[in-house]
Amino acid sequence: MKKVIIIGSGLGGLTAGNLLAKRGYAVTLFESHSAPGGYTAGFHRKGYYFESGALSLESSASVFKAMQDIGVLEQLDFVRQRMRYVSADYDAIPENFLEYKKMLYEAFPDEKAKLDRVLAELEEMADALSGMDGPIPNLLEGFAKLKAMLPYLWKGPKLLKVAKRYGEMTSSEYAARYFEKGSKLYNFFGNTFYPDMPAMLLGAVAGMFTDYWTVRSGMQAWADVLAENFRKLGGALILSSYVDKIITRDGAAVGVMSKEAFHQADYVIAAGDYKKTFLQLIDDKSLIPRELVKKVESAAVSEGVFTVYLGLNIANAELEKYLKIPHVLLDNSSPGYDIYDAADAEYFTKAPLTMYAPSLVNPRHAPEGKSSLMLMTTVPYHWLNNWGGGDKEIYKELKAKAAQALIRTASTLVPSLEEKIDFQDAATPLTYERYTHNTDGATSAWSWNPQKRFHKTIIEAHIDTPVRNLFIGSCWAIQIGGIPGALIAAYECVRKIK
């Protein structure tokens, strides 16, 4: 029986581990944290539950297919999500792309001519990206895979046309074609998801209205179900065990070192941060071409977030009166907001905000008569000397200052929010890096900016490494990462080992 070691129990590691264990491999999964899940996880504090990373998922057909393959789909309670858009100019919960357009036209009637052109182009992008509603072909085999590829082949000419026009253009560059830099609509289209993401992905917003989900019992419950199933299949999940080195012999991975003990394997899957895998974990650096080392060192990662976790002394019914639904995009951004200005001490007073209430998804996520709320915003890399340059007291002060700024912004939607707080904590990109080991607390692997790509293509899987029998099994194998990226990488690793 061949042995496989997986480093990291995020969604990629858990998926690969389950699939390999189901095929009869002896699989050991090392996780540095005390609980599985990575960014697909959550935690409890004083009776409140909060998500640790991912709030939601798309590509549901792929997620459901993977969970069905593993045999846990019926144990999971995936539920549909919606988003409420709020600013000084609009307040709407679009159910489809038509309502999304209506929201913008009503909010900015003087910009109708420009919006006509922008929204028409977004529909063209959406059309090119639509029709591929089944599982990603990477998750399939044989005839089923060929069948799943047909929509991609059918849409091929449209995709190529859109990619040629918008693929190398950032969303900010696209927004600047129509709107003055710094204007409301410039910020709206330039920062829809990730700053300076590929402009062609703006069309993906249309799919968000029909394929946007979460897990009612929480992301941690999802990770726990996968972990328990893995154990039932005979897999060994070793928590609180950081892997110090990937051990190689004659150019091939032969195991890992953890807690000064050597664990032998025929294959090793690194299901975590790509940079740390190549720059820290591999024992023999001579196996990695110098040019690749330089490329890995300099490659940009996706932006991190700052999150405030709040337990509130109000019932869900009262919180729902203010939020209406669990997920709210509150754009109260002020003039001078710049995601790239790491020296702006007042950044958090200007930034837009995501508000997410776990207890509105599931009342059990808060004590009876209370509710839970998360406030999140994307932050500049290494804000204010990377949150104080290592000084713990400055770090605490900056963390408190940022939290207070977000609470004040959120109070425009939830009046007197500060007076309703029963529990409060916060996480910076340094917090996320400490728990997930993602460089700079990256939220979705590599940068989404098409001009800063590490991998040449957006969605192609890159699981191979210069070290034989060492594969990348996390979302870092895909340029834009995410849950679909983690699943693709996991399946490709399993296919390679088979």
Side-chain angles (χ1 to χ4, degrees), residues 228-287:
E228 181 59 25
N229 192 74
F230 175 65
R231 291 188 180 101
K232 287 180 179 178
L233 291 169
L237 174 57
I238 305 178
L239 299 173
S240 303
S241 296
Y242 184 77
V243 168
D244 301 297
K245 288 293 177 184
I246 296 170
I247 306 302
T248 62
R249 188 178 302 130
D250 299 325
V254 295
V256 303
M257 291 291 296
S258 177
K259 295 183 177 179
E260 300 183 352
F262 173 67
H263 302 264
Q264 184 272 332
D266 299 292
Y267 300 94
V268 175
I269 297 175
D273 180 277
Y274 196 102
K275 288 199 174 205
K276 288 184 170 60
T277 297
F278 278 80
L279 302 179
Q280 297 180 21
L281 295 186
I282 297 173
D283 65 345
D284 185 355
K285 299 299 187 292
S286 69
L287 296 174

Side-chain angles (χ1 to χ4, degrees), residues 11 15 19 57-70 73 76 78 132-140 148 152 211 213 222 482-491:
L11 186 59
T15 299
L19 293 174
L57 60 100
E58 303 84 44
S59 302
S60 60
S62 297
V63 172
F64 298 164
K65 167 70 167 59
M67 296 307 103
Q68 189 172 47
D69 288 347
I70 291 170
L73 181 59
L76 298 166
F78 294 105
M132 294 165 277
D133 302 322
I136 300 168
N138 303 70
L139 277 57
L140 301 163
Y152 292 83
D211 192 20
W213 302 73
W222 186 6
I483 286 175
L487 295 178
I488 291 171
Y491 273 75

Side-chain angles (χ1 to χ4, degrees), residues 177-220:
R177 293 172 61 178
Y178 298 101
F179 309 108
E180 182 180 352
K181 188 173 182 179
S183 66
K184 292 178 179 179
L185 284 173
Y186 171 87
N187 289 333
F188 184 89
F189 289 108
N191 297 290
T192 299
F193 298 112
Y194 277 93
D196 285 323
M197 70 180 193
M200 68 177 290
L201 293 184
L202 288 170
V205 71
M208 299 287 285
F209 302 118
T210 57
D211 192 20
Y212 191 56
W213 302 73
T214 193
V215 181
R216 188 188 302 277
S217 48
M219 293 291 179
Q220 186 61 58

